[in-house]
């Protein structure tokens, strides 16, 4: 299978993306078998490049390089089929998995036997053969079997990704990433299909057919590599970007809660929870600060109802003034909003931020407001 000059570098990048992406996202959603199978597939795509490099360096003679090259392109295809089966919940001992792996082993064995028969007849194969093996029955059979096997498996997996990722519960980023990667799989299927067609033409003509289909081969390989890179990296990149945006929002909310939080703890310092803010992640700090703010509001209600003690009367008056302004603005008391809140809902921070803004406004004014807006 021909590869553009930059394919090796692209495949290495894809492999790195795959490893990071797997550890970051997929391991939580698929079993270990599927996880290993996908890594074998992605890293296995480097196999033909390694064999070709060893041949060009003179480490491997032409015949072993040709045989190993055919086997090297079969291994990732078998791994790709196992990845699909793993996502369907099958284990390595499942009968279908054994059948798929067994078919790959049988194909590899046939490749070796048929290639040796072709070489024994004096016909060069593979890298040094220039397509001459198509003129011999054994060589043609080996080449066509390998191409047909890859075509069937690649399209079997590539087309399956779309209905699989359409299932309820699939995270949108993972769905989009896998579908982009599936386009890459299908593009590689087109490349292999072109190879199968040219192989059939070669059998009819008795030699390799060159020329008109080369642009399609190169285009398919570029599309395949690009889609793999984008598809594998998208869930990671999109998730990290969303996480960074969420962290910025949380830091902003943390800062905006400062007036309410400090005033509440000034009034009721016993509600401060032990913490080491220097080591706490921002989301944890925000949740703790929200909890302390709500605790202060509940104690303020208790203070109003029973006359309970407070450390600072001025802080209590400032909070009460902020609550009065809130009631004047919304036509209901803060306690009505607090009583109907869902403790698990993220919208809680909006109520607290509004109260914090009112406290900050009253601080600037210098005196508590006694009238609602």
């Amino acid at each position: 299978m021909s590869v553009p000059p930059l394919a090796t570098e692209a495949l290495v990048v894809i492999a790195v993306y795959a490893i990071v992406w797997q550890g970051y996202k997929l391991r939580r959603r698929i079993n270990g078998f599927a996880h290993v199978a996908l890594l074998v597939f992605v890293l296995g795509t480097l196999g033909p490049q390694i064999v070709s490099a060893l041949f060009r360096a003179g480490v491997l003679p032409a015949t072993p390089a040709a045989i190993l090259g055919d086997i090297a392109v079969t291994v990732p295809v078998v791994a790709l089929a196992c990845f699909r089966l793993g996502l369907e919940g099958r284990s390595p001992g499942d009968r279908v998995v054994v059948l798929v792996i067994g078919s790959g082993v049988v194909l590899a064995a046939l490749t070796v036997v048929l290639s040796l028969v072709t070489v024994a007849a004096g016909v060069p194969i593979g890298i040094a053969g220039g397509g001459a093996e198509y003129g011999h029955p054994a060589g043609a059979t080996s080449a066509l079997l390998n191409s047909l096997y890859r075509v069937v498996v690649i399209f079997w997996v590539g087309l399956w990704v779309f209905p699989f990722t359409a299932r309820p519960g699939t995270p949108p980023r993972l769905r989009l990433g896998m579908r982009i990667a599936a386009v890459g799989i299908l593009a590689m299927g087109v490349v292999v299909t072109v190879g199968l067609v040219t192989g059939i033409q070669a059998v009819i003509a008795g030699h390799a057919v060159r020329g008109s289909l080369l642009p399609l081969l190169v285009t398919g390989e570029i599309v395949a590599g690009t889609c793999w890179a984008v598809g594998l990296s998208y869930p990671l990149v999109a998730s990290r970007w969303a996480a960074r945006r969420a962290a910025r929002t949380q830091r902003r909310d943390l800062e905006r809660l400062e007036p309410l939080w400090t005033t509440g703890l000034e009034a009721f310092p016993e509600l401060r929870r032990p913490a080491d803010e220097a080591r706490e992640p921002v989301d944890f700090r925000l949740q703790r600060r929200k909890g302390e703010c709500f605790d202060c509001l509940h104690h303020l209600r208790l203070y109003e109802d029973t006359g309970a003690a407070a450390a600072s009367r001025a802080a209590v008056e400032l909070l009460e003034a902020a609550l009065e302004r809130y009631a004047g603005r919304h036509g209901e008391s803060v306690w009505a909003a607090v009583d109907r809140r869902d403790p698990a809902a993220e919208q809680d921070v909006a109520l607290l931020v509004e109260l914090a803004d009112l406290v900050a406004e009253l601080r600037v004014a210098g005196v508590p407001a006694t009238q609602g807006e």
Side-chain angles (χ1 to χ4, degrees):
M1 183 169 58
S2 61
V3 180
L6 296 179
T8 300
E9 291 80 0
L11 289 172
V12 170
V13 173
I14 293 170
V16 172
Y17 272 135
I19 294 171
V20 177
W21 187 62
Q22 289 293 291
Y24 181 80
K25 194 73 178 177
L26 272 188
R27 186 170 290 177
R28 301 178 184 178
R29 305 186 180 281
I30 65 176
N31 58 33
F33 172 58
H35 177 256
V36 172
L38 184 57
L39 288 181
V40 171
F41 165 69
V42 176
L43 297 175
T45 56
L46 295 172
Q49 300 301 305
I50 295 173
V51 172
S52 179
L54 292 176
F55 169 73
R56 291 194 301 269
V59 177
L60 280 177
T63 297
I67 296 174
L68 287 176
D70 285 338
I71 295 175
V73 296
T74 301
V75 169
V77 173
V78 173
L80 183 63
C82 290
F83 172 66
R84 168 183 169 166
L85 296 173
L87 283 182
E88 292 176 343
R90 300 182 186 272
S91 64
D94 189 276
R95 183 165 54 184
V96 178
V97 175
V98 172
L99 179 62
V100 168
I101 296 176
S103 67
V105 172
V106 170
L107 179 63
L110 281 175
T111 298
V112 173
V113 172
L114 293 173
S115 297
L116 292 177
V117 169
T118 305
V119 172
V123 179
I125 63 173
I127 298 174
E133 65 269 21
Y134 289 105
H136 188 278
T141 300
S142 175
L144 295 180
L145 275 178
N146 274 279
S147 294
L148 181 61
Y149 183 85
R150 294 197 295 271
V151 166
V152 171
V153 173
I154 287 173
F155 281 105
W156 179 63
V157 176
L159 294 174
W160 160 86
V161 169
F162 295 93
F164 176 78
T165 54
R167 300 185 311 173
T170 303
R173 298 187 190 99
L174 187 60
R175 178 186 296 115
L176 180 57
M178 287 189 66
R179 288 184 173 183
I180 294 173
V183 172
I185 295 174
L186 295 176
M188 185 53 64
V190 171
V191 171
V192 179
T193 301
V194 171
L196 177 61
V197 171
T198 55
I200 295 173
Q201 292 176 339
V203 170
I204 296 173
H207 58 84
V209 179
R210 307 288 184 187
S212 60
L213 293 177
L214 183 60
L216 182 59
L217 283 170
V218 174
T219 301
E221 289 169 342
I222 292 174
V223 170
T226 302
C227 288
W228 263 107
V230 173
L232 290 175
S233 61
Y234 176 76
L236 170 63
V237 174
S239 296
R240 294 308 304 159
W241 177 254
R244 290 178 64 86
R245 290 182 59 187
R248 286 197 298 268
T249 300
Q250 289 167 348
R251 289 190 185 94
R252 182 197 64 200
D253 291 340
L254 193 68
E255 293 173 358
R256 293 187 65 185
L257 288 179
E258 183 79 19
L260 177 64
W261 179 65
T262 54
T263 304
L265 292 182
E266 183 181 346
F268 310 107
E270 69 276 11
L271 299 180
R272 183 184 297 273
R273 302 175 185 179
D276 184 359
E277 291 204 350
R279 297 185 179 182
E280 290 178 350
V282 64
D283 58 338
F284 187 84
R285 291 168 59 193
L286 179 60
Q287 292 302 319
R288 180 174 53 79
R289 186 162 294 188
K290 284 169 55 180
E292 289 175 334
C293 286
F294 276 115
D295 287 346
C296 290
L297 289 177
H298 287 301
H299 270 63
L300 182 61
R301 174 188 278 182
L302 182 65
Y303 177 87
E304 291 179 342
D305 292 344
T306 66
S312 170
R313 176 61 190 170
V316 169
E317 290 179 351
L318 186 58
L319 291 174
E320 289 176 336
L323 266 57
E324 287 182 13
R325 286 203 172 188
Y326 179 93
R329 178 178 295 178
H330 293 277
E332 66 173 7
S333 69
V334 169
W335 310 127
V338 170
D339 288 341
R340 67 167 178 266
R341 78 183 186 92
D342 180 1
E346 292 299 323
Q347 289 82 355
D348 286 348
V349 73
L351 169 64
L352 297 177
V353 165
E354 183 175 358
L355 290 175
D357 290 342
L358 291 173
V359 170
E361 291 173 8
L362 292 169
R363 278 184 179 175
V364 172
V367 292
T370 58
Q371 299 294 327
E373 290 181 346

